[in-house]
Amino acid sequence: MKTCLQQAKGQFLLIILTIFLVSFTSLTSSAQSQRTRLTLNRDWVFTQEKNEDQLNRASFNLSQLKPVNLPHIFEWVSMDLNGSKDDKNQKTFQRTSGYYAKDLSIKPEPDRKYFLEFEGVHQVTDVWVNGRHVGQNALGGYTPFSFDITAFLQAGKPNRVVIKADNTVNSEVPPDGDKADFIRYNGLYRDVYLVTTHPVHVGFAWEEADAGIFITTPSVTPENATVSIRTTVKNESAKVQPVEVVQRIIDADRRVVAKLSDRKKIAANATVNFRQTAGIEENLQLWSIDTPYLYQVLTEILIDGKVVDHQVNSLGIRKIEFLLDKGFLLNGNEVELIGVNRHQQFPFIGDAASNTLHRADALQFKKMGFNVVRLAHYPHDDSFIEACDELGILLYEEAPTWIHIGNQLWMDRLVESTRVMIRNHRNHPSIIMWSGGINHRGPVPALHYAAKEEDPTRPTASNGSPWTGPRNSGVTDLYTPMDYQGLALPEGELMFLCEHGSSADAHTNQLEVSKSRQATNRIGAAAWTAHEYLAFERDDLMNLRRPFSIFRQTYPLAYWYQSEMIPSPMVYIADERVSKDGKVIVFSNCPEVELYHNDQLIARQTPDFSREKAHLNHPSFTFDFDWKGGELRAVAFHQKQVAAEFKSRKSGQPFAIKMSRTELDGKLSANGSDMTFVYAQIVDDKGAIVYDDSTEVRFEIIGDAKLEGDQASGANPIKASFGTAAAIIRTGTTAGPVLIKATAKNLRSGEISLEIGEEVPEDYPVFFEEKAHRLDLGNTKNKLVQFGWENINDTNLKNYPLANFGKAKLAFAGTYEFEDNFGAVGDLPYLVNDGILARNGSIGLRFSDLPKGKYELTFYQYQIDEKTDYAIKQSITIEDEQGKRVATGLLPKKKSSGPTSVAEPIRSTYTIHSDGRKDISVQLSTLDQGKTLGLNGLTIKELN
């Protein structure tokens, strides 16, 4: 059996390296690298009637089978779980095997490697290529794997891939073997890729402990950071290979802000680790909840100067700390973790959700202000985690379990699942803790130790409960119990509630959040759970205690979180499902709210502060009013000014259908996989949703798209839930508009158009590599050159080669003295410690053979010693392609007062233009007659 793994959409949490800024040369190296990663989600066939023997015959015609695109579930699931009578053991429902097959048009080339990469298949997977068994993955359905299929491919004809997805009960594969409070769906439900590489390449991260790329951040401050990158390169060729690994860190403006290179020879069929460490000291951009700044990391593997492999990952730079009596700190700032749990299931399709649906969940969470999500109870899709990286949502991830603990093989696989989960997601800035326990049961030493071996940079969480296991963190780092019973805070522990209860009016949620905020060592709480979900022995539909429905409609409860967590002024009236029995519930982050009924003032009130809610920012408002009908209007005030308004009308009789869709931050793609929710709201003649209506709605699609589900699964037609019928629409493979119509008996129909864009392949990153020189002026006697800078001294002052600009040279004209001091305190101590002095008050520079273009020139000037009478005003005269121009500026007024003085040089920046032929002259001159002019250093940087 071959175990497999995937490198995938990995993203890096880390810190940036810096060497020196170097200029803008665009690179579009797609043709240079031999790695490709092709999505294989389209044009599969599926069967449960045939077996591998039949499907593996080259003569078998696949076209007679059902065509499907991925993600895919064997059969659609109704809201009553297809009438199944299973209990939580789920011994029959979805417990079957299915086969997927596809003929790949691959023309295998010598000196290439070919891999199939799987993000997730439920739950034991066997793969055949051209009738030969490639391998099996029995680690479960929630972690990635990959197979090397190079030796199985045949030239000159299609290569048939057959996949068996076996979801039958298997007590030796976690989380299986006992009860579970979630459905163990079947299907090839996550993305599949064909990866092509050179024999010398970076392997998949999950293959083994040191595989792939792992970036850690030994130190981070607001001003600078250190990063260590470990890259493991495999040489699967038959000869020694001279390998160079080049790392580039690319900022959001596509500029290379750091570049590292290392070379080693790798023996045939050997693996070598490259460890590269550096730092960033200028213009550091930290990743945070409010500003989730992401860089790109481009890793290139070169042989004889040619790129043979590459990987691109996102990079977030941040520092996390969990400290007793301080709590959780992100970049040194205290953060209370307030959020929800999330299951990945959806109506009708189970776990087989598209990347767009996962991203839409993250967007919805961000809109409501959640800053943390516990990924219950298994590793989640890469696309959700990537979205959290991009949006600034923190994550707590765990291996696949519920309560059950199986035999030794089961436990070994759970430990390995933990390792693979961490290897796959360790470079994501959003993830701040790994589970080191089993849900309900609490800490498990083997899981904690495995997590520490794989990633010592993050803490482990206990996953405990009040009714079993220790009431402390045990061997793990953090005590993270579920709490439905009012647990006390143990002494000497940091405590995060991994689950707590909810109520439709948000009262329970407010109590839990206030309780979490009352003690520094209570670091946060996550409500159970974000969405309604399907499970046996549970009725969780139309449950207003969840922030969102299973169809991802927002329930009133979510708006309290928005009022508590989002600073922008808002006010929201909980609709008639919550505002009833003589009470109207209002959520706002403003200190006062006026409530009107049909434009008549009911009351002006402050929030419902009480002892139990004393630690909230914004408790809810409760107005005593028996809302029988008509319109309510809430007006929120901040500093006596109207800051926000909201209206809600109690509905009349059903009249029409109003259409809407899931909020996305980009277009759907014609890839055959993207999905979105479309909603048909039943409204009255004034547009108010009729929440108590359950009219049956039928959807019709005009265009290249399909609806997930059918009449048998209750998806189309579908009965409205709380006055809204929802459908999941999957895109086809043709770009263009798609029209969705919704009709219902005795109602005016509605329609909505979706714009489907062309599928966009992943591109090699385009970047600008800055060419620059940073020059520290100092004589040969003084060896203290600023780190990362070049030294101009008395031997090269008249003719310094600017090698990054080809044949360009810099020459200083005039007579100068070199001056130095013992030392200086500051960010550039060795730069300001020495320099040149012009007693005649004039410093001349001449640039020759500078390539055509625009350059940024910056001078660094500081008063080195107390004895010299320095100028405090100067002029700068520039003669370049654009002619002659003069500028004036101020120099430091305050002289150094000794070897420990704080030294901050004056920086003056100018733009010069070269035509590629003529010399450029720059003259610095004092405007204070008879005084000395000094210069410590300069930088010249090409601008794009």
Side-chain angles (χ1 to χ4, degrees):
M1 182 181 79
K2 296 181 181 178
T3 304
C4 3
L5 303 155
Q6 137 191 309
Q7 174 66 25
K9 315 167 180 176
Q11 308 204 317
F12 291 8
L13 116 110
L14 308 258
I15 284 238
I16 245 185
L17 330 132
T18 205
I19 292 219
F20 31 117
L21 298 179
V22 249
S23 146
F24 293 104
T25 303
S26 70
L27 173 72
T28 51
S29 326
S30 177
Q32 293 183 17
S33 177
Q34 296 178 21
R35 174 181 286 261
T36 62
R37 189 165 179 257
L38 177 67
T39 304
L40 294 183
N41 286 353
R42 288 159 64 167
D43 303 324
W44 291 84
V45 296
F46 172 74
T47 182
Q48 290 184 284
E49 286 74 42
K50 307 297 180 182
N51 59 36
E52 62 266 24
D53 292 335
Q54 296 166 297
L55 295 172
N56 279 319
R57 294 180 197 145
S59 60
F60 184 85
N61 186 359
L62 296 182
S63 64
Q64 63 186 289
L65 301 178
K66 178 183 177 181
V68 299
N69 289 337
L70 309 180
H72 180 260
I73 188 172
F74 294 177
E75 61 177 337
W76 288 311
V77 177
S78 68
M79 293 299 98
D80 67 350
L81 298 174
N82 297 351
S84 174
K85 302 302 181 184
D86 274 0
D87 59 15
K88 286 183 181 292
N89 288 283
Q90 194 187 327
K91 291 185 177 179
T92 65
F93 180 69
Q94 295 266 303
R95 297 307 208 150
T96 56
S97 295
Y99 289 87
Y100 298 85
K102 180 182 178 74
D103 287 333
L104 295 178
S105 298
I106 305 175
K107 296 180 180 179
E109 300 178 36
D111 295 327
R112 293 288 187 278
K113 301 285 292 182
Y114 299 87
F115 301 87
L116 288 176
E117 176 190 329
F118 299 84
E119 289 190 355
V121 185
H122 286 313
Q123 69 178 344
V124 175
T125 308
D126 285 272
V127 175
W128 293 263
V129 173
N130 294 322
R132 297 166 61 195
H133 189 243
V134 176
Q136 182 186 80
N137 176 64
L139 206 56
Y142 299 97
T143 47
F145 56 96
S146 59
F147 293 110
D148 183 349
I149 62 170
T150 308
F152 299 84
L153 297 177
Q154 299 175 359
K157 63 179 183 178
N159 287 273
R160 179 160 297 180
V161 176
V162 175
I163 299 167
K164 180 183 180 181
D166 183 356
N167 201 48
T168 56
V169 175
N170 191 327
S171 62
E172 295 180 332
V173 178
D176 220 344
D178 204 273
K179 298 178 180 180
D181 191 36
F182 54 93
I183 302 300
R184 286 155 283 190
Y185 292 102
N186 56 34
L188 209 174
Y189 77 102
R190 289 180 180 169
D191 296 335
V192 178
Y193 302 92
L194 173 66
V195 178
T196 304
T197 73
H198 188 276
V200 177
H201 61 275
V202 177
F204 297 101
W206 47 79
E207 292 176 332
E208 55 188 354
D210 287 339
I213 298 172
F214 187 21
I215 307 182
T216 56
T217 57
S219 62
V220 184
T221 72
E223 293 79 28
N224 55 68
T226 302
V227 63
S228 181
I229 305 178
R230 187 193 71 208
T231 305
T232 301
V233 181
K234 304 172 73 173
N235 176 13
E236 295 188 296
S237 74
K239 63 180 182 179
V240 175
Q241 297 282 7
V243 174
E244 180 183 9
V245 175
V246 175
Q247 308 282 359
R248 286 183 180 88
I249 311 300
I250 305 166
D251 71 12
D253 295 321
R254 300 186 301 169
R255 294 177 300 183
V256 174
V257 298
K259 182 178 178 181
L260 289 175
S261 176
D262 192 11
R263 291 179 173 85
K264 292 182 182 180
K265 289 185 177 181
I266 305 181
N269 299 307
T271 298
V272 169
N273 289 334
F274 288 75
R275 297 179 185 272
Q276 297 160 292
T277 300
I280 181 169
E281 300 176 18
E282 295 181 2
N283 302 317
L284 177 64
Q285 301 292 321
L286 295 181
W287 185 96
S288 69
I289 294 168
D290 295 327
T291 56
Y293 191 96
L294 290 175
Y295 298 82
Q296 279 188 316
V297 176
L298 172 60
T299 302
E300 291 180 324
I301 311 302
L302 295 86
I303 297 176
D304 297 329
K306 295 182 179 179
V307 179
V308 297
D309 190 30
H310 78 281
Q311 291 194 15
V312 181
N313 296 275
S314 292
L315 164 67
I317 302 169
R318 49 73 160 158
K319 181 178 183 179
I320 59 170
E321 298 172 281
F322 295 82
L323 303 176
L324 275 175
D325 302 323
K326 289 188 177 181
F328 170 68
L329 281 69
L330 178 62
N331 301 328
N333 301 310
E334 293 183 27
V335 175
E336 192 74 15
L337 300 170
I338 305 299
V340 288
N341 284 255
R342 178 188 187 253
H343 270 308
Q344 68 180 9
Q345 66 162 248
F346 289 79
F348 311 122
I349 58 175
D351 288 346
S354 68
N355 295 337
T356 49
L357 287 182
H358 290 300
R359 183 173 184 84
D361 273 4
L363 288 166
Q364 198 172 41
F365 292 168
K366 188 68 177 181
K367 181 179 179 180
M368 292 299 146
F370 300 122
N371 63 22
V372 69
V373 178
R374 179 194 179 207
L375 304 177
H377 292 294
Y378 37 77
H380 282 222
D381 193 278
D382 291 348
S383 59
F384 180 78
I385 294 166
E386 289 171 8
C388 292
D389 289 343
E390 295 167 11
L391 297 171
I393 300 174
L394 304 172
L395 299 175
Y396 164 5
E397 191 168 33
E398 58 193 50
T401 64
W402 189 52
I403 297 176
H404 169 67
I405 300 176
N407 62 19
Q408 188 58 51
L409 178 56
W410 184 96
M411 181 58 74
D412 290 346
R413 284 173 168 161
L414 181 63
V415 170
E416 186 64 17
S417 292
T418 298
R419 293 184 184 277
V420 171
M421 170 188 74
I422 293 172
R423 293 168 190 171
N424 188 38
H425 289 156
R426 63 195 174 193
N427 291 324
H428 287 267
S430 55
I431 295 179
I432 58 170
M433 60 180 114
W434 309 112
S435 170
I438 290 178
N439 186 61
H440 285 256
R441 296 295 184 182
V444 176
L447 299 182
H448 165 75
Y449 299 143
K452 288 302 181 183
E453 286 180 353
E454 297 293 335
D455 178 15
T457 71
R458 291 180 179 88
T460 56
S462 68
N463 275 35
S465 69
W467 44 85
T468 183
R471 289 200 175 184
N472 54 55
S473 59
V475 297
T476 63
D477 300 307
L478 301 172
Y479 183 40
T480 60
M482 57 185 68
D483 185 13
Y484 300 94
Q485 301 174 350
L487 273 175
L489 173 65
E491 185 177 351
E493 295 275 11
L494 292 177
M495 180 172 167
F496 173 82
L497 299 188
C498 71
E499 296 180 19
H500 67 76
S502 292
S503 60
D505 61 359
H507 178 72
T508 300
N509 306 71
Q510 293 177 67
L511 297 185
E512 293 291 354
V513 171
S514 181
K515 181 172 66 176
S516 181
R517 284 188 167 145
Q518 74 181 4
T520 302
N521 289 338
R522 291 180 180 268
I523 62 173
W528 183 262
T529 178
H531 309 102
E532 303 163 334
Y533 66 104
L534 298 175
F536 289 104
E537 302 176 29
R538 170 185 287 276
D539 181 12
D540 200 53
L541 300 181
M542 298 184 72
N543 186 347
L544 294 171
R545 292 187 295 112
R546 309 295 180 218
F548 310 100
S549 77
I550 194 171
F551 296 99
R552 275 48 182 180
Q553 299 155 282
T554 304
Y555 284 159
L557 161 62
Y559 288 96
W560 172 72
Y561 282 97
Q562 188 180 60
S563 72
E564 181 72 7
M565 302 295 290
I566 298 293
S568 302
M570 61 81 64
V571 63
Y572 178 84
I573 302 170
D575 60 59
E576 60 209 65
R577 296 170 293 176
V578 173
S579 292
K580 55 187 179 180
D581 302 326
K583 304 290 184 183
V584 174
I585 308 299
V586 175
F587 305 129
S588 179
N589 52 14
C590 296
E592 289 187 293
V593 170
E594 289 181 348
L595 184 66
Y596 294 83
H597 179 247
N598 295 336
D599 290 330
Q600 295 294 313
L601 180 65
I602 297 170
R604 179 169 177 148
Q605 292 184 194
T606 56
D608 302 335
F609 277 109
S610 62
R611 181 176 59 85
E612 294 84 0
K613 297 181 180 181
H615 301 280
L616 296 178
N617 297 324
H618 303 289
S620 56
F621 297 71
T622 302
F623 289 86
D624 292 324
F625 181 73
D626 193 11
W627 186 20
K628 298 292 187 182
E631 181 184 82
L632 291 177
R633 178 166 59 94
V635 181
F637 292 85
H638 179 68
Q639 295 181 346
K640 300 182 180 180
Q641 300 293 318
V642 174
E645 291 192 31
F646 186 85
K647 295 179 182 179
S648 183
R649 175 176 291 276
K650 185 164 273 192
S651 64
Q653 295 299 308
F655 175 73
I657 293 175
K658 181 181 178 181
M659 302 288 289
S660 61
R661 57 161 290 186
T662 303
E663 291 186 29
L664 284 175
D665 54 356
K667 275 187 179 181
L668 296 168
S669 175
N671 55 18
S673 298
D674 278 2
M675 303 177 194
T676 187
F677 279 102
V678 167
Y679 302 105
Q681 297 172 324
I682 313 301
V683 298
D684 66 10
D685 59 353
K686 292 182 173 59
I689 299 174
V690 185
Y691 289 109
D692 61 1
D693 188 90
S694 56
T695 296
E696 189 175 80
V697 175
R698 182 177 296 277
F699 292 95
E700 177 188 1
I701 299 175
I702 302 171
D704 189 12
K706 62 174 283 189
L707 186 144
E708 289 290 333
D710 56 11
Q711 185 171 358
S713 60
N716 195 29
I718 181 174
K719 287 188 175 181
S721 171
F722 285 134
T724 300
I728 298 176
I729 307 299
R730 182 197 283 257
T731 64
T733 56
T734 305
V738 170
L739 185 67
I740 295 98
K741 293 184 177 180
T743 57
K745 188 176 181 180
N746 300 322
L747 296 179
R748 190 167 69 187
S749 63
E751 62 182 43
I752 190 171
S753 181
L754 305 179
E755 186 61 36
I756 312 301
E758 296 283 356
E759 183 176 9
V760 180
E762 292 184 9
D763 287 333
Y764 208 93
V766 174
F767 58 82
F768 302 105
E769 192 165 36
E770 291 183 333
K771 295 177 183 175
H773 284 273
R774 299 197 292 185
L775 307 174
D776 182 355
L777 294 167
N779 63 21
T780 53
K781 295 179 182 179
N782 187 346
K783 300 296 185 182
L784 294 177
V785 178
Q786 186 64 40
F787 299 124
W789 291 56
E790 304 163 59
N791 178 227
I792 291 188
N793 54 57
D794 46 1
T795 67
N796 56 21
L797 190 68
K798 303 292 186 180
N799 186 23
Y800 188 82
L802 300 175
N804 290 337
F805 304 128
K807 298 179 179 179
K809 293 181 179 179
L810 168 62
F812 280 79
T815 302
Y816 310 103
E817 299 175 16
F818 283 91
E819 184 67 37
D820 63 85
N821 202 347
F822 172 78
V825 176
D827 293 336
L828 297 169
Y830 306 122
L831 176 68
V832 302
N833 188 63
D834 52 13
I836 60 173
L837 301 179
R839 300 293 182 184
N840 63 358
S842 180
I843 298 175
L845 298 83
R846 181 167 296 275
F847 296 91
S848 58
D849 295 321
L850 200 60
K852 183 177 181 179
K854 184 168 63 172
Y855 299 82
E856 179 183 275
L857 184 63
T858 300
F859 295 107
Y860 295 76
Q861 294 169 279
Y862 180 73
Q863 297 182 10
I864 300 171
D865 70 279
E866 295 182 346
K867 299 177 181 179
T868 300
D869 190 11
Y870 286 95
I872 61 172
K873 293 180 183 179
Q874 71 177 358
S875 67
I876 295 91
T877 303
I878 298 172
E879 289 189 63
D880 62 6
E881 180 192 21
Q882 295 195 347
K884 183 176 181 179
R885 55 199 182 277
V886 179
T888 60
L890 295 176
L891 295 172
K893 294 182 181 180
K894 197 171 184 179
K895 295 183 179 181
S896 169
S897 58
T900 59
S901 62
V902 176
E904 183 62 33
I906 290 291
R907 307 181 192 200
S908 52
T909 299
Y910 308 92
T911 301
I912 59 175
H913 302 262
S914 174
D915 62 6
R917 296 177 292 108
K918 297 178 182 178
D919 290 356
I920 297 172
S921 67
V922 180
Q923 191 77 26
L924 284 69
S925 303
T926 177
L927 296 178
D928 299 316
Q929 189 172 2
K931 294 190 177 182
T932 299
L933 195 62
L935 180 64
N936 303 85
L938 69 145
T939 63
I940 179 169
K941 179 173 66 175
E942 185 180 8
L943 302 175
N944 65 322

